[in-house]
Amino acid sequence: PFGWVTPTWADLGIFAVGSEPLMYPLRVAIRTNLQGAFNTATGLMNDDLRTRQLIPLQEPYSQIPGFTHAGRGGGETVSPNVLGVSGSQAIVDWVFVELRDPDNSAAVLETRAALIRRDGNIVDVNGVAPLVFRGRPSSAYYFDVRHRNHIGIRTPEYYHLYNEPVLIYDFTTEQFNAYQGVQALLGANDGWAMYGGNADSNGNLRYSGPGNDQNALLNGCLGGDKAQVLNGVYSPCDLNMNGAVRYSGPLNDQNFLLNNVLGGDKTKVVVQPDF
């Protein structure tokens, strides 16, 4: 299921640059889905943000509270040519990937901003290669995937990462491929996905009560105006990832939150586990 292209640096071993410590290219091929973008009719995620030219060329997470880069992560950029690719390998959005200490999963050792494609594969900024981390030894790590308006997922156990062979990990095939099984079921034939709807990027989904996402959508982004539409935006309140923020009318984000994510239950709460 993974259509990886081996990059030209794949055969590089351990190396050092100037006074930098030994750098190990660690590669991992991760697959997941974003519920907000997933289209059950096609079995792929929609790439509306790409086709509307709304995806920023520089990773957004350095500017979003709660996403803190570590190690050599941060400032990643993508070429417009990569965003010009269409079809199943088209880019959907940026994601945030963390490597964590196998002895203390709360400790983030390294981060990378990466790209997720319509087919669910998370790739490096060239749009085709598995994700590369540099500056860490070949060893065991937990790793997680986070997104600006989805609930993050982490591996339930740690895995050894190397340059070769590339570790392949697919969150979509089983609920408990994610720590504590906090994933959204897309459908009988579509597998699992990261929960969407987290308009305030606070790590929990809720329609009512303190810190709820319905309020973040209506009052935080739309100024309390249920008729207002923000069109052509790259916003965490764009819960269905179509490039527009709206509370009512066709393809509105309030309906996606309540009915798609929370199953029509205004009291349901989904919480991202402590990693």
Side-chain angles (χ1 to χ4, degrees), residues 41-61:
T42 64
L44 298 168
M45 286 179 279
N46 293 330
D47 60 339
D48 293 346
L49 297 180
R50 183 195 69 84
T51 60
R52 300 187 70 177
Q53 299 182 351
L54 297 173
I55 298 175
L57 296 182
Q58 181 164 316
E59 58 89 10
Y61 294 101

Side-chain angles (χ1 to χ4, degrees), residues 79-251:
S79 163
N81 292 336
V82 172
L83 296 181
V85 174
S86 59
S88 63
Q89 295 187 5
I91 302 303
V92 174
D93 200 3
W94 289 96
V95 292
F96 188 83
V97 184
E98 298 173 317
L99 291 187
R100 293 174 177 262
D101 190 326
D103 298 318
N104 175 18
S105 65
V108 177
L109 303 176
E110 199 81 22
T111 64
R112 282 296 309 275
L115 301 166
I116 187 167
R117 304 190 313 204
R118 293 185 67 204
D119 59 13
N121 290 325
I122 292 175
V123 293
D124 220 307
V125 293
N126 66 2
V128 292
L131 188 58
V132 176
F133 290 91
R134 294 181 175 85
R136 290 285 162 185
S138 296
S139 185
Y141 300 93
Y142 293 97
F143 53 88
D144 63 73
V145 182
R146 300 172 62 202
H147 182 264
R148 58 199 175 86
N149 63 10
H150 284 66
I151 294 296
I153 50 177
R154 197 207 77 189
T155 55
E157 56 189 274
Y158 52 74
Y159 291 86
H160 277 81
L161 299 184
Y162 310 91
N163 181 31
E164 293 286 355
V166 178
L167 177 71
I168 297 175
Y169 194 88
D170 192 342
F171 284 101
T172 72
T173 57
E174 297 287 345
Q175 179 181 3
F176 285 91
N177 283 358
Y179 179 56
Q180 295 187 4
V182 181
Q183 295 199 87
L185 181 62
L186 295 171
N189 299 317
D190 295 316
W192 300 85
M194 296 169 65
Y195 272 105
N198 193 199
D200 53 9
S201 303
N202 69 348
N204 67 74
L205 302 172
R206 57 194 312 155
Y207 193 87
S208 58
N212 71 77
D213 297 287
Q214 181 268 155
N215 182 67
L217 168 63
L218 177 58
N219 296 309
C221 287
L222 295 174
D225 184 354
K226 293 183 178 181
Q228 184 178 7
V229 178
L230 303 179
N231 204 16
V233 295
Y234 185 79
S235 168
C237 289
D238 176 17
L239 303 181
N240 57 15
M241 299 182 66
N242 66 354
V245 176
R246 61 192 307 156
Y247 193 89
S248 58
L251 300 176

Side-chain angles (χ1 to χ4, degrees), residues 27-48:
R27 298 195 294 158
V28 57
I30 305 170
R31 184 167 182 253
T32 185
N33 283 306
L34 302 175
Q35 185 186 23
F38 196 81
N39 186 331
T40 56
T42 64
L44 298 168
M45 286 179 279
N46 293 330
D47 60 339
D48 293 346

Side-chain angles (χ1 to χ4, degrees), residues 58-67 69 75:
Q58 181 164 316
E59 58 89 10
Y61 294 101
S62 295
Q63 310 302 319
I64 301 176
F67 292 85
H69 277 292

